[in-house]
Amino acid sequence: MIEVKNVTKKYASITAVNDISFSVEDGEVIGFLGPNGAGKTTTMNMITGFIEPTEGQIIINGYDISKKPKKAKKQIGYMPEGVPLYTELTVKEFVNYMAELKLLKGKEKKENVEKTIEETGLLDVQNKLIRNLSRGYKQRTSLAGALVGNPAIIILDEPTVGLDPKQITEIRNLIKELGKKHTVILSSHILSEVSQICEKVIIINNGKIVAIDTPENLETKTKEKNTLLVTVEDPNGNMQNLKEKIAEIEEIKLLKDNEDNTKQYSITSNNQVDLRKVLFEVLPKEDITIFELKKSEATLEEAFIKLIDSNENEETFTEESKVDKEKEKAEKKAAKEKAKEEKKKLKQENKKGGKE
Amino acid sequence: MLAVYKKELKSYFLSPIGYIAIGTFLFVFSLIFYITTISIRSYDMGNLYFNTARYGLLIIIPLISMRMFAEERKTGTEQLLLTSPRSITGIVLGKFFAAVTLVVIILAISLVYYVILCFFKAPNLVPTLIAMFGFLLVAMAAISAGMFVSSITENQIVAAVLTIVLVFLPELTGMFPIINLIDYYQKFPAGLISVTEVVSLLAYMIMFILFTIIVMKRRKSVK
């Protein structure tokens, strides 16, 4: 179990992570989601003990990462961003080294290394130099380095970046398998990936947690309107008057004018109302033939953008106040400099006076 | 410490650096051997080590020490090391002793020249070993300083140049005699072990090892 309590990370002038708290239960697969520069990597680096939080506490399976780093770090397998590897080693040597770093010894180490290499599908390349491997295999090697030693928690920072579609599916399946035995935290900015693999999503933006929920809940929660897409043949142009016939409709928009005389409209209504049945009853009476009728699905993508946008709108207020503060600072500085100059002048005059 | 030590030592020989260091040493050593032993027929092994320390270490040490932490930081493998359940002290010492071992290997190879001299008139073995021991101490001190420099930058070239400035500028220019390592390698070549020299070199070495550990620990909260 990972507990992150009120963690803040400040650099000289920037707050990378601002007072975030969450906990991850054993066996959960959690996705960290956020735009670039949101604080995902910083948070992960703090959980793994690579950097220390300015404030707050991180507890891994009961061990505080800054007070008992050895015991806490032993619980974690980390695959950092950008897949850093010792390229002069072979795959097997690298995995072996990682096992040694994780305090494995003798027979246990040997078995563990062999098992991990097999699990990650590296058997064919285990004696090749990492330098000569393709990107996909490098990624797997890095993953093997995180997995070896069978840590309870596995943290993966953008595990599928830079892979081709086939490799992405392979790595995803591998992560899904891992989720059965380990607690997994992964970060990504690809939403479909997170919604496929993870049970819970933490959306983070500007160093703050915007939402923690299941992917399904996030989709429904952020969906305000119900939109139907309907393709019809409408010789008399009755579609525009539909709003008067069905009171629940909020908006009708023409989306596409197809060449086969059909038109596609989007019909928006309140979230609670399902218009499909009504439309099927009403449209034929108006001499309109339905070719297609479907629900427009709100995706996690929309939810994500919506959440982040709303978060940024809140931020603008604070930014304005920042600007004010900066102005004040500038004014103060100017005043100080003026005072200095006056002092200098006085001194010079005094000197002159002395000379005379 | 042992895991890091083994891997680092292996890395020296998986990359050209180990071989270049050995080659450079042998080149400088052979050159001085030629100048002193063959040209003026001197049997002074101590002098050989002294001059190699003076001119050879200048190239060998930066070569060995520049990559120690700078490379790890640049490639990001530092993250693998620092998130493993190993103490920073263990990591630093592992790397340090791997570099020292490389110097020991180099010194062992240099014994070839002793064997060559034995064919003519065997020089005293004990003073030769003392000169080598002193050479090792000077190299250890220089490596520790180079390691410290390597831990504060991520550019290997910068690390190498700064190491030359820090360790060898005092000898080359005569400034700051107190940190001039060659000044502490005066009695060893004559086959004498001076407590002052041993203590000074060890103190220099320990100081920079501690500095490195502090830098690595500090980085966690600064980074």
Side-chain angles (χ1 to χ4, degrees), chain A residues 55-71:
Chain A
E55 279 164 42
Q57 209 180 15
I58 295 168
I59 294 166
I60 316 273
N61 282 349
Y63 302 111
D64 190 319
I65 190 87
S66 39
K67 281 177 195 145
K68 287 197 172 146
K70 240 184 178 179
K71 282 189 175 151

Side-chain angles (χ1 to χ4, degrees), chain A residues 60-102:
Chain A
I60 316 273
N61 282 349
Y63 302 111
D64 190 319
I65 190 87
S66 39
K67 281 177 195 145
K68 287 197 172 146
K70 240 184 178 179
K71 282 189 175 151
K73 281 175 183 174
K74 211 167 177 265
Q75 319 279 328
I76 300 176
Y78 182 36
M79 173 177 162
E81 192 184 16
V83 201
L85 294 166
Y86 294 99
T87 51
E88 74 268 21
L89 301 180
T90 65
V91 172
K92 198 171 184 185
E93 281 170 339
F94 174 77
V95 180
N96 196 44
Y97 179 46
M98 291 314 289
E100 279 175 7
L101 282 182
K102 290 178 186 176

